[in-house]
Amino acid sequence: MRPICNDCGLQMKCKRNGHPIVITDDPEKADPYQLWMADLYQCAGCDHEVAVIGQGQIAVSNRYYDDDFAEKLESFGGADVVRVF
Ligand SMILES: [Zn+2]
């Protein structure tokens, strides 16, 4: 994975591995159903950041399959909430 900033034309650098992401399909960013660990990339030109979930990764937890989803969600406190439509 080599994210490139479309505005600056620079390859973004990894700022942090293990960036927590909460996935929801609710427009109000409620009702999460998946937890992921992403890599956070940043552009050195404009500081724009993107979170990348690598191919082949699986969710840390899924509300529909994991009994401990609520506990894991709590441990993701302060995570970015991403809406998926
Ligand atoms: Zn940029």
Side-chain angles (χ1 to χ4, degrees), residues 16-21 36-40 51 76 79-80:
R16 179 167 49 142
N17 298 112
H19 181 71
I21 299 287
W36 291 82
M37 281 295 181
D39 296 324
L40 186 65
F76 268 51
D80 290 342

Side-chain angles (χ1 to χ4, degrees), residues 13-63:
K13 295 186 178 176
C14 187
K15 182 178 179 181
R16 179 167 49 142
N17 298 112
H19 181 71
I21 299 287
V22 176
I23 304 288
T24 180
D25 56 6
D26 185 303
E28 302 299 323
K29 294 188 176 184
D31 202 24
Y33 67 91
Q34 285 183 342
L35 308 176
W36 291 82
M37 281 295 181
D39 296 324
L40 186 65
Y41 285 79
Q42 185 177 42
C43 175
C46 68
D47 291 337
H48 183 77
E49 295 179 341
V50 295
V52 176
I53 296 172
Q55 252 185 331
Q57 275 189 273
I58 60 171
V60 171
S61 189
N62 186 314
R63 184 180 70 205

